[in-house]
């Protein structure tokens, strides 16, 4: 993975979006937040409209909020737990994330950060000229007592529209939600244990090694 | 290396497989000196636990010598260690509150979905078990990769033989936690279903915790004799009406606490048990829970139900009304092994607990397949099998 300290945040999150299976088409979250009478997160609502898919997940990580935010903000770190992210490059104000696809193919996504609240919240969206449109946010909130931090990831996407989207979805053969959940769990594991859990019993059998093998 | 691998129901073989290696920095590699076959392994052998794949290396009760350490392991080469069967990271919420078997990180993210669907939450990882619990290679092998080696394994002083400490890996803490979960008070009568290794250790623990009477239930004469030797009164469920006997033996009050050390493959010919056998066979996954159902009816109102016996799916005709109307308390779970190892090692050292009385057979690892078959079919005389990878082929037992 190339060094990407100076690349900024946008791609990060987009990368996650894509790691998620990516293929998102941005329905903005603000629209989705309307309605509902109870206190449950909006994305847990039983939805009747099938146009947009919204996914949200929370994990509690036994680490201070500031530390988790800082780790996420330094997006050179993120490929450590995002399985599908290959590289990130700088293009002006934007970041271009290159996402792995099978058979050596890649998908690109260009993003900008639309919100960055120190220690609390990062939101992003893709800009015009991206292969794919996506938006999402990650939030950090103190958990009760010494339980650490609640980290919530929310993504919004349309089921992939157009031929490209469908082709990519087929290639990935992964539901965005599954990928997001796994990436978030890996983030938690990495922060709490310093490593990504694997039940492989030799290095060449880890998922990371197998993925690399597939590409070459 | 050589290792016992699963190939299907009642088909396990000792094969040559790749040696493990260090992957993460907290890993260690253990050269196994002793490893046991557990009642839980029989559930895999009988094919009633989902998510086991051909080629998987089984075994979750093992100990040995440290032969390699990752840069963040706190172990040293040459140390003798017993390894808990529950794989726990030490850093998550559940590990911090000592609920190690609910560790949130040891089961790799991509393996968590199956148990999350089935149980509402993903399960922690276990050695040598189902891919639902991580699919980690197990200890019935010459070598094992042990993750989080800085928090799990307990170092054993040289003067304690393998046979004395091996069961710290699982069944001793399991029996102990089963008794703890029964919240035993000094004047209590406690009934234990199943006189396998788990039941026997639960009986011994209940007595150490001060129960006034422990009643053991099984149908194998030799296993019942071992229970009696520990100080329990015994009931042979093939010959005696268990519930009636328990009422009489507890002075008409009912036993104060019950322990189900049988699990999902309970024997018995009650009609619903037979139906459950059939469902299990056709993969409908109904657990056979006849011992547990009997225990729930036998325990006194306000009593405690402790379930160390393993269940994996769902069951029919559960006496829910008895549970509610009698105001019972239920506690269960895979054992939080790391919570108990230190204390129990002391109790082994000072002689409070005897751990070797139940070992019936010591075999070379090469004979593991036969060990499985005999442990399954000749339960009466085969109470506990210990495999020794270093042992010469003609069993020196
Ligand atoms: N909770 C844990 O962490 C944990 C750990 C280890 C084992 N276990 C489980 O504990 C259970 C027992 O393990 P084990 O190694 O002692 O197994 P085992 O198979 O050696 O012993 C089970 C005993 O139960 C007896 N039994 C069967 N049906 C009975 C009935 N209806 N009434 C009374 N007794 C009956 C059998 O005759 C046998 O002696 C298994 O389910 C195992 O998976 C749980
Ligand atoms: Zn066991
Ligand atoms: Zn943990």
């Amino acid at each position: 993975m190339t060094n990407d300290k100076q690349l900024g945040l946008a791609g990060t999150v987009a990368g996650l979006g894509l790691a998620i299976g990516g293929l998102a088409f941005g329905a903005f979250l603000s629209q989705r937040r309307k309605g509902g009478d109870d206190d449950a997160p909006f994305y847990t609502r039983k939805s009747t409209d099938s146009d947009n898919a919204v996914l949200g997940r929370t994990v509690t990580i036994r680490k201070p909020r500031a530390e988790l935010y800082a780790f996420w903000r330094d997006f050179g770190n993120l490929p450590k737990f995002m399985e599908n992210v290959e590289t990130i490059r700088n293009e002006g104000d934007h970041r271009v994330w290159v996402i792995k696809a099978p058979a050596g193919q890649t998908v690109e996504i260009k993003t900008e950060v639309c919100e960055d609240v120190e220690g609390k919240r990062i939101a992003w969206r893709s800009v015009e000229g991206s292969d794919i449109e996506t938006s999402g946010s990650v939030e950090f909130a103190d958990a009760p007592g010494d339980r650490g931090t609640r980290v919530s990831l929310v993504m919004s996407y349309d089921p992939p529209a157009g031929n490209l989207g469908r082709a990519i979805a087929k290639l990935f053969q992964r539901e965005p939600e599954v990928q997001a959940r796994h990436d978030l769990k890996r983030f938690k594991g990495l922060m709490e244990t310093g490593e990504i859990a694997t039940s492989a019993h030799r290095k060449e059998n880890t998922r990371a090694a197998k993925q690399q093998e597939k590409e070459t | 290396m050589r290792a016992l691998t699963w190939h299907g129901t009642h088909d396990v073989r000792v094969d040559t497989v790749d040696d493990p290696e260090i992957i993460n920095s907290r890993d260690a590699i253990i050269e196994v000196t002793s490893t046991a076959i557990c009642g839980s392994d029989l559930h895999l052998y009988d094919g009633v636990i989902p998510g086991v794949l051909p080629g998987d290396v089984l075994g979750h009760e093992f100990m040995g010598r440290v032969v390699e350490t990752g840069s963040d392991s706190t172990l040293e080469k040459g140390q003798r260690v017993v390894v808990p069967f529950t794989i726990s990271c030490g850093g998550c919420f559940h590990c911090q509150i000592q609920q190690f078997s609910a560790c949130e990180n040891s089961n790799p993210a991509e393996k968590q979905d199956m148990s999350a669907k089935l149980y509402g939450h993903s399960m922690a990882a276990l050695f040598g078990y189902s891919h639902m619990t991580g699919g980690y290679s197990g200890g019935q092998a010459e070598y094992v990769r042990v993750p989080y080696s800085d928090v799990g394994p307990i170092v054993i002083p040289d003067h304690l033989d393998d046979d004395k400490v091996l069961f710290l890996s699982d069944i001793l803490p399991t029996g102990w936690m089963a008794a703890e979960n029964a919240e035993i008070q000094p004047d209590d009568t406690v009934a234990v279903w199943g006189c396998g290794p788990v039941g026997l250790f639960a009986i011994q623990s209940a007595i150490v915790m001060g129960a006034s009477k422990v009643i053991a239930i099984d149908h194998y004469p030799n296993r019942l004799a071992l229970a009696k030797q520990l100080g329990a009164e015994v009931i042979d469920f093939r010959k005696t009406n268990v519930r009636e006997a328990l009422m009489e033996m507890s002075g008409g009050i009912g036993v104060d606490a019950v322990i189900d050390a049988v699990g999902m493959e309970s024997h018995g010919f009650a009609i619903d048990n037979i139906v459950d056998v059939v469902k299990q066979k056709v993969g409908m996954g109904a657990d056979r829970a006849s011992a547990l159902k009997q225990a729930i009816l036998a325990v006194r109102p306000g009593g405690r139900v402790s379930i160390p016996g393993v269940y994996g799916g769902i069951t029919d005709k559960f006496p829910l009304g008895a549970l509610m109307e009698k105001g019972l308390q239920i506690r269960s779970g895979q054992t939080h092994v790391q919570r108990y190892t230190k204390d129990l090692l002391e109790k082994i050292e000072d002689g409070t607990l005897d751990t070797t009385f139940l070992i019936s057979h010591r075999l070379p690892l090469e004979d593991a397949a036969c060990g499985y078959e005999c442990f399954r079919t000749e339960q009466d005389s085969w109470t506990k099998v210990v495999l020794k990878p270093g042992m010469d082929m003609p069993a020196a037992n």
Side-chain angles (χ1 to χ4, degrees), chain B residues 37-70:
Chain B
I37 304 175
C38 177
S40 301
D41 293 326
L42 289 184
H43 300 323
L44 308 178
Y45 190 59
D46 291 338
V48 296
I49 298 275
V52 190
L53 300 177
D56 283 353
V57 177
L58 303 188
H60 58 269
E61 304 183 355
F62 63 98
M63 65 175 297
R65 214 167 286 110
V66 179
V67 290
E68 247 185 278
T69 53

Side-chain angles (χ1 to χ4, degrees), chain A residues 13-29 51-55 99 107-111 124-137 154-162 164-166 168-169 172 174-177 180:
Chain A
V13 185
L16 182 62
L18 266 201
I20 282 169
L23 325 177
F25 185 63
F28 275 112
L29 300 179
D51 269 10
N52 307 90
V54 175
L55 61 93
I99 309 301
V107 178
E108 296 196 345
I109 185 168
K110 197 186 224 180
T111 61
W124 65 90
R125 65 180 163 226
S126 54
V127 298
E128 225 156 283
S130 249
D131 280 354
I132 282 160
E133 294 187 51
T134 180
S135 66
S137 68
V154 176
M155 296 287 307
S156 171
Y157 63 98
D158 279 343
L164 177 65
R166 261 190 293 279
I168 295 165
F172 277 109
R174 279 202 187 111
E175 285 172 59
E177 188 162 2

Side-chain angles (χ1 to χ4, degrees), chain B residues 1 6 42 97 105 112 136 145 147-148 166 181 195 205 213 222 252 298 300 308 348 351-353 356 367 379 389 391:
Chain B
M1 66 167 182
W6 187 92
L42 289 184
I97 60 168
N105 290 317
Q112 294 187 6
Y136 284 85
R145 169 183 167 246
Y148 315 119
L166 171 61
N181 280 346
C195 296
S205 303
K213 188 193 286 194
N222 179 52
R300 73 163 168 81
I348 293 169
T352 310
L353 294 171
T356 56
D367 286 350
Q379 290 221 307
M391 194 184 221

Side-chain angles (χ1 to χ4, degrees), chain A residues 185 188 192 199 202-203, chain B residues 19 21 104-105 112 134:
Chain A
K185 281 276 171 81
K188 170 182 162 69
E192 287 183 336
S199 58
R202 296 188 63 80
K203 280 186 199 133
Chain B
D19 286 356
E21 62 184 358
E104 299 152 62
N105 290 317
Q112 294 187 6

Side-chain angles (χ1 to χ4, degrees), chain B residues 94-171:
Chain B
H94 284 100
C95 284
Q96 284 299 310
I97 60 168
Q98 302 245 305
Q99 293 181 352
F100 294 101
S101 73
C103 174
E104 299 152 62
N105 290 317
S106 57
N107 197 351
E110 65 278 3
K111 305 240 179 184
Q112 294 187 6
D113 293 339
M114 206 202 308
S115 59
K117 276 216 176 77
L118 204 53
Y119 303 142
H121 286 81
S122 58
M123 296 294 101
L126 310 176
F127 283 104
Y129 218 61
S130 157
H131 283 259
M132 262 172 51
T133 49
Y136 284 85
S137 286
Q140 288 159 5
E142 290 180 291
Y143 299 94
V144 188
R145 169 183 167 246
V146 176
Y148 315 119
S149 65
D150 52 327
V151 295
I154 179 166
V155 178
I156 303 299
D158 278 341
H159 67 272
L160 290 170
D161 287 348
D162 276 22
D163 286 358
K164 276 199 151 168
V165 292
L166 171 61
F167 301 140
L168 284 170
S169 57
D170 177 355
I171 50 172

Side-chain angles (χ1 to χ4, degrees), chain A residues 15-23 55 57 79 81-85 99-100 153 155 157 172-187 207 211, chain B residues 109-110 113:
Chain A
L16 182 62
L18 266 201
I20 282 169
L23 325 177
L55 61 93
R57 272 285 159 161
F81 63 87
M82 293 178 184
E83 271 193 338
N84 289 351
V85 179
I99 309 301
K100 295 172 197 163
L153 172 71
M155 296 287 307
Y157 63 98
F172 277 109
Q173 289 196 333
R174 279 202 187 111
E175 285 172 59
E177 188 162 2
V178 171
Q179 189 67 37
R181 193 164 67 228
H182 293 176
D183 281 346
L184 198 57
K185 281 276 171 81
R186 275 187 280 268
F187 175 53
R207 283 168 72 84
Q211 272 210 340
Chain B
E110 65 278 3
D113 293 339

